[in-house]
Amino acid sequence: MKISKMVLGVSLALGLSVAAQAAEVEVLHWWTSGGEAKSIAELKTMLEAKGHVWKDFAVAGGGGESAMTVLKSRVVSGNPPVAAQIKGPSIQEWGEEGVLANLDDLAKAEGWDELLPTVVSNTMKYKGEYVAVPVNVHRVNWMWTNPEVFEKAGATVPTTWDEFFIAADKIKAAGMTAVAHGGQPWQDATTFETVVLGTAGAEFYNKAFIDLDPKSLNSPTMIKALKVFHKIKGYTDAGSPGRDWNLATAMIINGEAGMQFMGDWAKGEFTAAGKMPGKDYLCVAAPGTTNDYTFNIDSFVMFEVDDKELQKGQNDLASTILSPAFQEIFNLNKGSIPARLNLPMDKFDDCAKISAKDFVRTAKANTLLPSMAHGMSTFSSTQGAIFDTITEFYNSDSITAEAAAAKLVKAVAAAQ
Ligand code: GAL
């Protein structure tokens, strides 16, 4: 009897100790489309392999605006998730609130400063210490095209905005939708920033969306960009208002539309649909932006917790995110490139290889730029002011570009 009691005692203790390590890690994110969901599922698998329980806190809505609203209410009610998808300058805003766990010990132990490009590591720190862990680098200034649509329309893939409207006219005349677009503020802003970059260049982009220079925001250059941006609306379809971004990507996949301006999370949808770049679709720089790279770094923060098991779960989550194995499998599915330096790219497709090369090339040429539309260049209040102004302008046929430019200055100033 004694032996069986001892065996029982040992197995109980063992069981408890395993249970003691298992933490329920609740993770807020907004990755719910086909490609996004496959990508985040890899993180769940890897975290659970470390003995933790993944509690999925997915808030649908491309661009993450809904997710951020839900997150704020959870934090205000004193019940934050264990981890959340927060990125860019918002990391500073959350750091200011004093609610983020400090990841610096882990970062030093794992040498994150050596593993990450400076532009990435700087974004992850609050007052010089890591409070966020980067998942990837997305490129935003892509244009996705369906070669079959172009062939049917006798159009050629444009490299300038003049060529764009010639191609768009041909696709429209052939009875297809020239531009697949979802009429949501963040998608309007994604197209808008790409037009500004393509018509006015990197230096102006910096002045407008990083310096928030009023003389740039309201200038003949901005007015010209606003006119090009508004003209695109005439090449979208009646179903565009409110459409989710991945449904616009589906229009390219099924040959309904010829072009989509979207970051390379769109590639995750092509990949999930079994489509091959260079054959079923092309990834090309949006007109006028071949030598530029608007970046969007996804990252996760951990909220401060007292529970030791949860802290271990947070450290295991952060460590898993930066591991070579996760960085590869996640980014293969997500359409982005690894945040971590010097990972082999041989499993990645040509679009990712171009992105990885251009990331380095544009960093050297000072044309590696933070995406305004994806929360990399301003605080959320300023981004919201820009979103409201350009979406109102895009949806109106009575507001002039001159009036919209003047409104941009006022809205941005009021948000400071
Ligand atoms: C971006 C996010 C991307 C992708 C996109 C569409 O803000 O950084 O990873 O999810 O929204 O939802």
Side-chain angles (χ1 to χ4, degrees):
M1 270 300 278
K2 267 200 182 113
I3 292 172
S4 61
K5 268 189 180 165
M6 186 184 74
V7 165
L8 179 65
V10 166
S11 57
L12 260 181
L14 265 182
L16 279 177
S17 68
V18 168
Q21 267 145 36
E24 182 177 80
V25 180
E26 185 183 26
V27 182
L28 167 86
H29 64 89
W30 61 87
W31 288 332
T32 57
S33 77
E36 293 173 333
K38 272 184 76 179
S39 307
I40 193 75
E42 297 295 342
L43 185 54
K44 173 178 186 290
T45 304
M46 289 189 177
L47 189 69
E48 292 193 333
K50 291 192 172 180
H52 300 295
V53 175
W54 172 280
K55 186 176 179 188
D56 202 45
F57 182 15
V59 178
E65 220 166 320
S66 314
M68 291 302 103
T69 304
V70 171
L71 176 62
K72 282 173 193 149
S73 58
R74 279 284 297 270
V75 175
V76 163
S77 60
N79 174 29
V82 173
Q85 182 183 351
I86 290 177
K87 57 180 186 165
S90 284
I91 294 170
Q92 306 308 311
E93 296 176 292
W94 283 98
E96 207 57 36
E97 294 300 318
V99 293
L100 302 184
N102 187 309
L103 300 175
D104 224 43
D105 291 348
L106 175 69
K108 285 196 170 50
E110 295 189 344
W112 289 8
D113 276 346
E114 290 69 46
L115 296 181
L116 299 169
T118 316
V119 69
V120 175
S121 54
N122 287 346
T123 308
M124 299 300 123
K125 293 176 182 175
Y126 174 69
K127 293 186 178 168
E129 299 198 318
Y130 281 93
V131 291
V133 56
V135 184
N136 59 9
V137 176
H138 272 301
R139 182 178 202 169
V140 181
N141 63 302
W142 286 111
M143 182 173 72
W144 307 92
T145 68
N146 181 313
E148 244 179 61
V149 169
F150 273 79
E151 203 182 327
K152 277 183 194 160
T156 47
V157 175
T159 57
T160 67
W161 284 102
D162 290 342
E163 290 173 4
F164 165 80
F165 288 109
I166 292 166
D169 278 330
K170 286 183 175 172
I171 294 168
K172 195 173 175 181
M176 293 173 282
T177 299
V179 178
H181 181 66
Q184 296 169 348
W186 73 272
Q187 292 189 66
D188 296 342
T190 299
T191 300
F192 172 61
E193 75 171 30
T194 295
V195 170
V196 169
L197 183 60
T199 54
E203 206 180 319
F204 181 85
Y205 180 102
N206 265 314
K207 283 199 195 119
F209 297 139
I210 294 135
D211 304 342
L212 304 173
D213 167 37
K215 292 193 189 63
S216 302
L217 289 171
N218 187 3
S219 62
T221 305
M222 180 58 82
I223 288 165
K224 180 187 164 204
L226 283 161
K227 287 177 177 171
V228 170
F229 167 59
H230 195 275
K231 192 176 174 186
I232 292 171
K233 187 168 75 171
Y235 295 92
T236 61
D237 66 307
S240 172
R243 176 185 287 131
D244 286 335
W245 69 272
N246 52 314
L247 300 183
T249 309
M251 292 168 72
I252 306 290
I253 290 172
N254 64 32
E256 244 183 279
M259 299 174 272
Q260 181 187 17
F261 298 109
M262 192 46 70
D264 44 25
W265 45 92
K267 195 176 69 151
E269 301 305 300
F270 289 108
T271 304
K275 301 301 178 185
M276 295 303 289
K279 177 175 165 289
D280 303 310
Y281 67 96
L282 299 182
C283 55
V284 296
T289 70
T290 306
N291 294 319
D292 306 308
Y293 191 121
T294 39
F295 68 81
N296 169 29
I297 305 163
D298 282 314
S299 50
F300 283 89
V301 301
M302 314 293 155
F303 284 92
E304 253 178 1
V305 290
D306 298 329
D307 183 289
K308 290 283 174 250
E309 294 156 22
L310 281 180
Q311 288 172 3
K312 171 119 184 25
Q314 291 178 324
N315 274 349
D316 286 348
L317 180 65
S319 190
T320 300
I321 286 171
L322 261 194
S323 68
F326 174 74
Q327 285 280 316
E328 179 174 85
I329 186 69
F330 175 87
N331 287 291
L332 282 170
N333 281 293
K334 190 71 170 61
S336 36
I337 59 174
R340 185 176 170 136
L341 288 166
N342 307 321
L343 288 185
M345 290 296 289
D346 41 315
K347 287 187 190 151
F348 287 84
D349 62 31
D350 287 347
C351 301
K353 287 174 180 162
I354 292 166
S355 179
K357 278 204 192 79
D358 285 355
F359 181 77
V360 173
R361 179 168 65 86
T362 55
K364 288 181 185 138
N366 285 325
T367 55
L368 175 64
L369 307 160
S371 166
M372 172 279 295
H374 293 279
M376 293 289 125
S377 72
T378 67
F379 289 131
S380 48
S381 55
T382 306
Q383 183 198 47
I386 298 171
F387 277 22
D388 294 347
T389 308
I390 61 108
T391 282
E392 183 195 33
F393 168 64
Y394 180 80
N395 291 322
S396 155
D397 291 326
S398 58
I399 300 173
T400 63
E402 289 76 5
K407 273 190 181 187
L408 260 183
V409 172
K410 285 202 194 77
V412 165
Q416 297 318 303

mmCIF file of all heavy atoms in Angstrom, residues 30-31 36 61-64 85 87 136 138 186 245 265 296 298 334 374, ligand 1:
data_model
loop_
_atom_site.group_PDB
_atom_site.id
_atom_site.type_symbol
_atom_site.label_atom_id
_atom_site.label_comp_id
_atom_site.label_asym_id
_atom_site.label_seq_id
_atom_site.Cartn_x
_atom_site.Cartn_y
_atom_site.Cartn_z
ATOM 1 N N TRP A 30 -6.128 41.023 -34.063
ATOM 2 C CA TRP A 30 -7.247 41.176 -35.014
ATOM 3 C C TRP A 30 -7.022 40.347 -36.283
ATOM 4 O O TRP A 30 -7.606 40.608 -37.339
ATOM 5 C CB TRP A 30 -7.484 42.642 -35.372
ATOM 6 C CG TRP A 30 -6.377 43.398 -36.033
ATOM 7 C CD1 TRP A 30 -6.110 43.467 -37.385
ATOM 8 C CD2 TRP A 30 -5.390 44.223 -35.388
ATOM 9 N NE1 TRP A 30 -5.041 44.281 -37.616
ATOM 10 C CE2 TRP A 30 -4.569 44.758 -36.417
ATOM 11 C CE3 TRP A 30 -5.110 44.566 -34.077
ATOM 12 C CZ2 TRP A 30 -3.506 45.624 -36.151
ATOM 13 C CZ3 TRP A 30 -4.047 45.426 -33.817
ATOM 14 C CH2 TRP A 30 -3.261 45.937 -34.829
ATOM 15 N N TRP A 31 -6.246 39.325 -36.198
ATOM 16 C CA TRP A 31 -5.928 38.498 -37.358
ATOM 17 C C TRP A 31 -6.958 37.383 -37.575
ATOM 18 O O TRP A 31 -6.812 36.259 -37.100
ATOM 19 C CB TRP A 31 -4.521 37.922 -37.191
ATOM 20 C CG TRP A 31 -3.460 38.982 -37.361
ATOM 21 C CD1 TRP A 31 -3.552 40.126 -38.122
ATOM 22 C CD2 TRP A 31 -2.171 39.016 -36.750
ATOM 23 N NE1 TRP A 31 -2.402 40.850 -38.038
ATOM 24 C CE2 TRP A 31 -1.527 40.195 -37.217
ATOM 25 C CE3 TRP A 31 -1.486 38.172 -35.890
ATOM 26 C CZ2 TRP A 31 -0.224 40.547 -36.825
ATOM 27 C CZ3 TRP A 31 -0.193 38.505 -35.509
ATOM 28 C CH2 TRP A 31 0.424 39.682 -35.972
ATOM 29 N N GLU A 36 -4.294 35.551 -42.221
ATOM 30 C CA GLU A 36 -3.961 36.021 -40.861
ATOM 31 C C GLU A 36 -4.215 34.906 -39.840
ATOM 32 O O GLU A 36 -3.383 34.621 -38.991
ATOM 33 C CB GLU A 36 -4.813 37.236 -40.509
ATOM 34 C CG GLU A 36 -4.514 38.475 -41.308
ATOM 35 C CD GLU A 36 -5.516 39.593 -41.008
ATOM 36 O OE1 GLU A 36 -6.662 39.309 -40.624
ATOM 37 O OE2 GLU A 36 -5.141 40.767 -41.152
ATOM 38 N N GLY A 61 -11.632 42.862 -37.713
ATOM 39 C CA GLY A 61 -11.649 44.242 -38.237
ATOM 40 C C GLY A 61 -10.266 44.618 -38.704
ATOM 41 O O GLY A 61 -9.381 44.871 -37.893
ATOM 42 N N GLY A 62 -10.092 44.599 -40.065
ATOM 43 C CA GLY A 62 -8.767 44.886 -40.601
ATOM 44 C C GLY A 62 -8.231 46.212 -40.095
ATOM 45 O O GLY A 62 -8.980 47.149 -39.839
ATOM 46 N N GLY A 63 -6.939 46.259 -39.892
ATOM 47 C CA GLY A 63 -6.322 47.510 -39.452
ATOM 48 C C GLY A 63 -6.325 47.667 -37.949
ATOM 49 O O GLY A 63 -5.553 48.425 -37.394
ATOM 50 N N GLY A 64 -7.219 46.914 -37.250
ATOM 51 C CA GLY A 64 -7.114 46.859 -35.797
ATOM 52 C C GLY A 64 -7.838 47.906 -35.001
ATOM 53 O O GLY A 64 -7.744 47.932 -33.766
ATOM 54 N N GLN A 85 -1.761 42.775 -29.406
ATOM 55 C CA GLN A 85 -1.119 43.262 -30.639
ATOM 56 C C GLN A 85 -1.168 44.776 -30.619
ATOM 57 O O GLN A 85 -2.215 45.378 -30.841
ATOM 58 C CB GLN A 85 -1.879 42.714 -31.860
ATOM 59 C CG GLN A 85 -1.290 43.106 -33.195
ATOM 60 C CD GLN A 85 -2.122 42.613 -34.375
ATOM 61 O OE1 GLN A 85 -3.060 41.830 -34.216
ATOM 62 N NE2 GLN A 85 -1.790 43.074 -35.559
ATOM 63 N N LYS A 87 1.334 48.263 -31.806
ATOM 64 C CA LYS A 87 2.509 48.497 -32.665
ATOM 65 C C LYS A 87 2.801 49.987 -32.817
ATOM 66 O O LYS A 87 1.977 50.833 -32.501
ATOM 67 C CB LYS A 87 2.240 47.851 -34.028
ATOM 68 C CG LYS A 87 0.989 48.353 -34.719
ATOM 69 C CD LYS A 87 0.782 47.680 -36.040
ATOM 70 C CE LYS A 87 -0.396 48.315 -36.743
ATOM 71 N NZ LYS A 87 -0.450 47.973 -38.150
ATOM 72 N N ASN A 136 7.085 40.856 -37.337
ATOM 73 C CA ASN A 136 7.352 40.833 -38.779
ATOM 74 C C ASN A 136 7.659 42.238 -39.278
ATOM 75 O O ASN A 136 7.605 43.213 -38.522
ATOM 76 C CB ASN A 136 6.107 40.313 -39.516
ATOM 77 C CG ASN A 136 4.894 41.192 -39.227
ATOM 78 O OD1 ASN A 136 5.021 42.250 -38.631
ATOM 79 N ND2 ASN A 136 3.726 40.770 -39.645
ATOM 80 N N HIS A 138 5.947 44.217 -42.542
ATOM 81 C CA HIS A 138 5.096 44.246 -43.743
ATOM 82 C C HIS A 138 5.498 45.444 -44.595
ATOM 83 O O HIS A 138 5.848 46.492 -44.061
ATOM 84 C CB HIS A 138 3.632 44.434 -43.346
ATOM 85 C CG HIS A 138 2.879 43.160 -43.069
ATOM 86 N ND1 HIS A 138 2.730 42.166 -44.002
ATOM 87 C CD2 HIS A 138 2.214 42.736 -41.972
ATOM 88 C CE1 HIS A 138 2.020 41.181 -43.483
ATOM 89 N NE2 HIS A 138 1.692 41.494 -42.250
ATOM 90 N N TRP A 186 -9.190 53.007 -42.873
ATOM 91 C CA TRP A 186 -7.789 52.563 -42.894
ATOM 92 C C TRP A 186 -7.380 52.136 -44.296
ATOM 93 O O TRP A 186 -6.222 52.293 -44.704
ATOM 94 C CB TRP A 186 -7.526 51.457 -41.866
ATOM 95 C CG TRP A 186 -8.080 50.114 -42.206
ATOM 96 C CD1 TRP A 186 -9.330 49.645 -41.904
ATOM 97 C CD2 TRP A 186 -7.426 49.077 -42.933
ATOM 98 N NE1 TRP A 186 -9.489 48.372 -42.395
ATOM 99 C CE2 TRP A 186 -8.343 47.998 -43.025
ATOM 100 C CE3 TRP A 186 -6.161 48.950 -43.502
ATOM 101 C CZ2 TRP A 186 -8.022 46.811 -43.675
ATOM 102 C CZ3 TRP A 186 -5.831 47.752 -44.155
ATOM 103 C CH2 TRP A 186 -6.761 46.704 -44.234
ATOM 104 N N TRP A 245 -10.918 44.243 -46.432
ATOM 105 C CA TRP A 245 -9.751 44.236 -47.336
ATOM 106 C C TRP A 245 -9.550 42.879 -48.015
ATOM 107 O O TRP A 245 -9.216 42.796 -49.187
ATOM 108 C CB TRP A 245 -8.503 44.620 -46.569
ATOM 109 C CG TRP A 245 -8.069 43.587 -45.569
ATOM 110 C CD1 TRP A 245 -8.491 43.484 -44.265
ATOM 111 C CD2 TRP A 245 -7.173 42.498 -45.782
ATOM 112 N NE1 TRP A 245 -7.919 42.387 -43.674
ATOM 113 C CE2 TRP A 245 -7.089 41.768 -44.560
ATOM 114 C CE3 TRP A 245 -6.417 42.065 -46.879
ATOM 115 C CZ2 TRP A 245 -6.295 40.637 -44.415
ATOM 116 C CZ3 TRP A 245 -5.621 40.937 -46.751
ATOM 117 C CH2 TRP A 245 -5.565 40.233 -45.535
ATOM 118 N N TRP A 265 0.120 41.748 -46.354
ATOM 119 C CA TRP A 265 -0.763 40.773 -45.713
ATOM 120 C C TRP A 265 -1.758 40.251 -46.765
ATOM 121 O O TRP A 265 -2.275 39.157 -46.622
ATOM 122 C CB TRP A 265 -1.494 41.354 -44.499
ATOM 123 C CG TRP A 265 -2.087 42.694 -44.692
ATOM 124 C CD1 TRP A 265 -3.354 42.967 -45.107
ATOM 125 C CD2 TRP A 265 -1.433 43.975 -44.541
ATOM 126 N NE1 TRP A 265 -3.547 44.325 -45.188
ATOM 127 C CE2 TRP A 265 -2.370 44.966 -44.861
ATOM 128 C CE3 TRP A 265 -0.164 44.371 -44.144
ATOM 129 C CZ2 TRP A 265 -2.092 46.332 -44.802
ATOM 130 C CZ3 TRP A 265 0.139 45.718 -44.093
ATOM 131 C CH2 TRP A 265 -0.818 46.677 -44.418
ATOM 132 N N ASN A 296 5.483 48.492 -41.965
ATOM 133 C CA ASN A 296 4.463 48.295 -40.930
ATOM 134 C C ASN A 296 4.902 47.095 -40.101
ATOM 135 O O ASN A 296 4.909 45.971 -40.590
ATOM 136 C CB ASN A 296 3.116 48.026 -41.610
ATOM 137 C CG ASN A 296 2.075 47.547 -40.615
ATOM 138 O OD1 ASN A 296 2.129 47.896 -39.441
ATOM 139 N ND2 ASN A 296 1.142 46.737 -41.082
ATOM 140 N N ASP A 298 4.386 44.625 -37.120
ATOM 141 C CA ASP A 298 3.432 44.100 -36.125
ATOM 142 C C ASP A 298 4.199 43.685 -34.875
ATOM 143 O O ASP A 298 5.329 43.194 -34.985
ATOM 144 C CB ASP A 298 2.686 42.877 -36.681
ATOM 145 C CG ASP A 298 1.586 43.271 -37.649
ATOM 146 O OD1 ASP A 298 0.814 44.194 -37.321
ATOM 147 O OD2 ASP A 298 1.521 42.696 -38.750
ATOM 148 N N LYS A 334 1.958 34.810 -43.422
ATOM 149 C CA LYS A 334 1.402 36.162 -43.250
ATOM 150 C C LYS A 334 1.660 37.069 -44.441
ATOM 151 O O LYS A 334 0.959 38.072 -44.629
ATOM 152 C CB LYS A 334 1.993 36.774 -41.970
ATOM 153 C CG LYS A 334 1.351 38.079 -41.517
ATOM 154 C CD LYS A 334 -0.046 37.890 -40.967
ATOM 155 C CE LYS A 334 -0.596 39.132 -40.295
ATOM 156 N NZ LYS A 334 -0.698 40.287 -41.203
ATOM 157 N N HIS A 374 -0.791 52.683 -41.129
ATOM 158 C CA HIS A 374 -0.720 51.507 -40.247
ATOM 159 C C HIS A 374 -0.028 51.819 -38.933
ATOM 160 O O HIS A 374 0.624 50.990 -38.332
ATOM 161 C CB HIS A 374 -0.121 50.325 -41.012
ATOM 162 C CG HIS A 374 -1.073 49.910 -42.067
ATOM 163 N ND1 HIS A 374 -2.154 49.121 -41.829
ATOM 164 C CD2 HIS A 374 -1.193 50.314 -43.363
ATOM 165 C CE1 HIS A 374 -2.887 49.008 -42.929
ATOM 166 N NE2 HIS A 374 -2.321 49.730 -43.873
HETATM 167 C C1 GAL B 1 -2.521 45.924 -40.242
HETATM 168 C C2 GAL B 1 -1.708 44.824 -39.570
HETATM 169 C C3 GAL B 1 -1.482 43.717 -40.569
HETATM 170 C C4 GAL B 1 -2.815 43.244 -41.131
HETATM 171 C C5 GAL B 1 -3.678 44.422 -41.613
HETATM 172 C C6 GAL B 1 -5.062 43.996 -42.031
HETATM 173 O O1 GAL B 1 -2.670 46.995 -39.369
HETATM 174 O O2 GAL B 1 -0.458 45.371 -39.158
HETATM 175 O O3 GAL B 1 -0.805 42.639 -39.932
HETATM 176 O O4 GAL B 1 -3.477 42.554 -40.148
HETATM 177 O O5 GAL B 1 -3.794 45.369 -40.586
HETATM 178 O O6 GAL B 1 -5.805 43.581 -40.960
#
